[in-house]
Amino acid sequence: KQHRAHSQGTMMINKGPQLQENRHVIKLDVTVNGKSYREQPFTISDRSGMSEPVLLSKNFIAQMNSVVDPSLT
């Protein structure tokens, strides 16, 4: 599915102990379990070789009143 979005600026992403990358940020409306969250920021990167197509930020997970148990991943 294709979407058209305008860049909302850039954000520095930490990719490792001493590796950073500057990525464009877009805002998208997202629906999770029937609840809508408007204008959530997402950074853009090519995830075609990754196991997960989208990553959710800690802030977005907290906004959903959710927690992640790393022992289950």
Side-chain angles (χ1 to χ4, degrees), residues 11-16 19-23 25 43-44:
M11 178 184 289
M12 191 63 67
I13 302 296
N14 293 320
K15 294 183 69 175
L19 182 61
Q20 295 182 326
E21 180 178 279
N22 202 26
R23 294 186 188 164
V25 177
T43 60
I44 302 297

Side-chain angles (χ1 to χ4, degrees), residues 41-55:
F42 287 87
T43 60
I44 302 297
S45 72
D46 180 5
R47 296 197 55 80
S48 60
M50 307 291 184
S51 61
E52 302 299 330
V54 176
L55 297 179

Side-chain angles (χ1 to χ4, degrees), residues 22-72:
N22 202 26
R23 294 186 188 164
H24 286 278
V25 177
I26 61 170
K27 291 190 177 181
L28 299 173
D29 296 340
V30 181
T31 301
V32 178
N33 292 329
K35 185 170 180 185
S36 294
Y37 301 88
R38 298 206 22 90
E39 296 190 359
Q40 295 300 310
F42 287 87
T43 60
I44 302 297
S45 72
D46 180 5
R47 296 197 55 80
S48 60
M50 307 291 184
S51 61
E52 302 299 330
V54 176
L55 297 179
L56 302 179
S57 71
K58 292 184 286 185
N59 292 338
F60 182 55
I61 292 170
Q63 189 176 352
M64 293 187 304
N65 294 316
S66 297
V67 294
V68 174
D69 183 348
S71 70
L72 300 176

